[in-house]
Amino acid sequence: MGVEQKLGNMGVVTLKLEQVVNWTRTNSMWPMLFGLACCAIEMMSAQAAHFDMSRFGMELMRASPRQSDLMIVAGRVSRKMAPVLRRLYDQMPDPKWVISMGDCASCGGVFNNYAIVPGVDEVVPVDVYVAGCPPRPEALIHGIMTLHEKVRGEKIKDWA
Amino acid sequence: MNEHIQAVSEALQEQFAAQVMEFRGQTSLLVPPEHILAACRILRDEFDFDMLRGQTVVDYWPQQEPRFHLIYLLYSLPRHMRLSLRSPLNGNYPTIASVESVYPNANWHEREVFDMFGIRFEGHTDLRRILMPFDWVGHPLRKDYPLGYEEVQFSFNYDEIDRRKPYARE
């Protein structure tokens, strides 16, 4: 009923390299284990049994930036945290992606003052913004799906 | 005012020319800044106020002169009593003696006060910023500190702000 029967015993699937690499990247995209504020609670529940991000190959939150592919900026970034965040980003190996989770990380949210960075895109390049205060786990998962779509569309000439 | 607090107030009035203020059953003593260290030592050693619960500042600029009131919130564990000391500070960048030698936890409290209000503490062992980045300019909780509001991006001014907003690169 699947592709196996159509192929017979060939055991071969032809694909573009671009597609197969992008496919593997989307299905084991490990996020970095860190949260900055209340959005992190929603991120945790997105990981937990009810929403279960392991459906998308993301059950492992890596506690080290060296082992992670995806940075989910969950919460407001203070001016003092900003250089730390950038350093974590720089320590992640390529290819790497950033999701800005919630209003505070995306645009400063309710904070408009000296202490909070108005939008984490001043510090790290962001791929997907997730709106909400805080976003529900479904919203985060939708953001991750959007990122997967983006990754699937990446071109071989952009990898370098 | 109970007896112990009464005795404390009288002693401090006599020795340091403190003024007694009472509001809804809470007593605070206005102590001149030059006597604050001695007052704290006496309160700890002779009147059982063995705990510094907090240290904070009110900035009364521009309504009042002197603009800063440094506040010490003391607590007595054996007697279950609270007392606050207030010390009015003259000038924009005042200096006052550190009470770290009496209450060691004043170290961090005084760092926070310094960070947020720019009040310097003489005799403090490690007077650095504690909350803000070390290269920060200014003291954010002063009333004359600029709020630094960023203009909010709406659909009508999105492009204009987008042009001058800093973005990170790879």
Side-chain angles (χ1 to χ4, degrees), chain A residues 40-85:
Chain A
I41 305 293
E42 299 296 307
M43 185 174 69
M44 284 178 240
S45 69
Q47 282 284 6
H50 200 99
F51 296 96
D52 197 10
M53 282 209 294
S54 58
R55 288 178 293 159
F56 313 112
M58 306 183 73
E59 66 270 43
L60 278 173
M61 299 288 272
R62 302 312 299 191
S64 160
R66 313 261 180 216
Q67 299 168 347
S68 45
D69 309 302
L70 171 65
M71 174 189 252
I72 301 174
V73 184
R76 74 276 180 285
V77 182
S78 66
R79 293 269 176 213
K80 203 171 182 179
M81 194 66 193
V84 183
L85 191 86

Side-chain angles (χ1 to χ4, degrees), chain A residues 115-137:
Chain A
I116 303 294
V117 175
V120 75
D121 50 7
E122 285 187 14
V123 189
V124 291
V126 177
D127 293 290
V128 174
Y129 298 88
V130 180
C133 186
R136 295 227 359 120

